[in-house]
């Protein structure tokens, strides 16, 4: 079973307008409510690909109830922890020329709620996959990723970690099955953004030396590069299509990679399906569906 953890889920209120004009009334052309948070994005695309999973995280208030109901309507299993105060955040995504985002803070996650999450994760079994991704709410300790991984170490659980800089580096000693930095995040880690494939591969190899098993580096329109634990290096560009949305593309790539690897055990195929899933989301107004993903897979 795959479990995803989202520390700070969100209802994303997405609006499309001709152009954002600050200081004036802006009227929408269309609008939608989407269910956001990196782990939730992974769960959504996994479910679209027919891969069973459970979404965990923290919810609060009427916005949390709306998010949970929406995920259930999509057929996604959840096991959220309910907080006694606050509201699950609402993020506003404005699509008008350049993308503009206004992200809410979300409720406070206290130590009791964190212990409840740890108790749930203690029930994972050997062979399960745990996906932890995104930032950590301010109320939680900066080493919360490390706490979770240390608690589950040596239990045969596969870890997937998709986050930035210190959070990512602190996870490496626990030998995550997959990490997915982008090339800019590699620059934050190593002090200089890699440009060439050789430089990216060198950075990925250093992350493997520190403990990562498979390193998938996304590079937006320049494609992606995978260095796998068997010594293989896989390079893919992106399929043709018009970019409509940048939100969730990286999470979709993680979901596609996991779905492909679980299906075949082949890293090359997993990379291709991950690329197709990430691109399908980038070419959609929301997260990609199975039909779009499989159509793009045929072009890779």
């Amino acid at each position: 079973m795959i479990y995803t953890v989202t520390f700070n889920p969100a209802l994303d209120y997405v609006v499309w307008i001709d152009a954002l004009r600050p200081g004036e009334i802006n009227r929408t052309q269309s609008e939608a409510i989407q269910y956001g948070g990196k782990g939730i994005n992974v769960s959504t695309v996994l479910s679209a690909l027919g891969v069973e999973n459970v979404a965990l995280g923290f919810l609060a208030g009427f916005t949390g109830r709306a998010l949970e109901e929406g995920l259930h309507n999509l057929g996604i299993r959840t096991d959220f922890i309910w907080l006694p105060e606050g509201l699950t955040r609402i993020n506003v995504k404005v699509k008008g020329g350049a993308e503009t985002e206004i992200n809410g803070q979300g409720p406070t996650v206290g130590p009791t709620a964190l212990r409840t999450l740890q108790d749930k994760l203690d029930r994972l079994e050997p062979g399960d996959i745990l996906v932890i991704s995104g930032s950590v709410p301010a109320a939680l300790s900066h080493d919360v990723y490390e706490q979770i991984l240390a608690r589950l170490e040596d239990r045969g659980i596969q870890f997937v970690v998709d986050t930035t800089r210190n959070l990512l580096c602190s996870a490496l000693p626990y030998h995550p099955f997959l990490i997915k930095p982008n090339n800019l995040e590699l620059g934050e880690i190593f002090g200089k953004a890699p440009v060439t494939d050789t430089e990216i591969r060198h950075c990925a190899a250093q992350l493997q030396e520190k403990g990562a098993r498979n390193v998938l580096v996304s590079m937006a329109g320049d494609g992606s590069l995978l260095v796998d634990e068997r010594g293989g290096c896989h390079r893919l560009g992106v399929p043709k299509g018009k970019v409509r949305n940048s939100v969730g593309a990286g999470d979709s790539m993680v979901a596609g990679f996991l779905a492909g690897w679980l299906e075949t055990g082949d890293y090359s195929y997993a990379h291709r399906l991950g690329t197709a899933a990430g691109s399908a989301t980038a070419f959609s107004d929301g997260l990609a569906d199975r039909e779009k993903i499989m159509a793009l897979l045929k072009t890779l």
Side-chain angles (χ1 to χ4, degrees):
M1 178 64 72
I2 299 178
Y3 297 85
T4 67
V5 174
T6 306
F7 286 101
N8 203 4
L11 287 177
D12 288 345
Y13 177 55
V14 187
V15 298
W16 287 265
I17 60 177
D18 284 330
L20 179 63
R21 294 181 292 274
E24 301 181 23
I25 294 176
N26 291 266
R27 301 193 183 278
T28 67
Q29 296 175 323
S30 59
E31 52 200 65
I33 296 290
Q34 298 171 358
Y35 311 110
K38 291 179 69 63
I40 288 173
N41 293 340
V42 174
S43 279
T44 302
V45 177
L46 282 172
S47 294
L49 289 170
V51 179
E52 189 175 5
N53 70 92
V54 180
L56 297 94
F58 304 95
L59 295 180
F62 76 96
T63 48
R65 289 192 294 274
L67 191 152
E68 184 177 56
E69 180 180 354
L71 293 179
H72 288 172
N73 290 339
L74 293 174
I76 298 170
R77 290 178 58 187
T78 66
D79 189 14
F80 288 115
I81 297 156
W82 284 88
L83 303 173
E85 297 179 351
L87 294 172
T88 292
R89 62 189 175 138
I90 297 176
N91 296 336
V92 180
K93 314 286 186 180
V94 181
K95 312 282 187 175
E99 292 185 13
T100 301
E101 300 185 17
I102 304 173
N103 290 345
Q105 293 184 358
T108 298
V109 180
T112 300
L114 181 59
R115 284 194 296 272
T116 302
L117 173 63
Q118 291 170 333
D119 290 341
K120 289 181 182 290
L121 295 178
D122 283 343
R123 301 170 194 159
L124 270 61
E125 299 178 351
D128 286 340
I129 297 173
L130 175 63
V131 181
I132 50 177
S133 53
S135 59
V136 174
L140 290 179
S141 169
H142 67 278
D143 65 347
V144 64
Y145 274 35
E146 193 172 356
Q147 291 179 39
I148 290 172
L149 297 178
R151 187 174 177 126
L152 299 176
E153 189 179 19
D154 299 326
R155 287 187 42 192
I157 298 165
Q158 309 254 41
F159 303 128
V160 176
V161 180
D162 182 12
T163 187
T164 56
R165 200 167 182 175
N166 293 339
L167 285 173
L168 179 62
C169 290
S170 68
L172 297 179
Y174 301 95
H175 304 289
F177 168 72
L178 176 70
I179 61 173
K180 197 211 68 61
N182 60 40
N183 55 331
L184 298 179
E185 289 165 348
L186 289 182
E188 294 176 352
I189 293 170
F190 293 102
K192 179 182 178 182
V195 177
T196 67
D197 287 1
T198 299
E199 291 172 338
I200 292 170
R201 184 173 183 176
H202 179 67
C203 289
Q206 290 186 70
L207 294 176
Q208 284 183 316
E209 290 174 3
K210 294 178 182 295
R213 291 169 54 190
N214 299 287
V215 183
L216 177 56
V217 182
S218 57
M219 298 172 279
D222 292 326
S224 59
L225 186 147
L226 168 69
V227 178
D228 71 47
E229 62 183 333
R230 298 168 185 160
C233 182
H234 314 264
R235 180 70 165 91
L236 285 175
V238 295
K240 292 182 179 179
K242 181 180 179 181
V243 175
R244 301 175 60 88
N245 166 49
S246 63
V247 177
D251 308 319
S252 301
M253 174 175 273
V254 169
F257 183 95
L258 287 175
W261 180 75
L262 287 171
E263 180 184 350
T264 66
D266 180 79
Y267 286 127
S268 178
Y269 177 76
H271 186 201
R272 288 173 54 225
L273 187 56
T275 297
S279 299
T281 287
F283 300 157
S284 304
D285 287 330
L287 296 175
D289 58 28
R290 178 181 176 84
E291 182 179 357
K292 290 180 181 178
I293 293 170
M294 302 314 290
L296 287 178
L297 178 63
K298 295 176 181 178
T299 70
L300 293 169

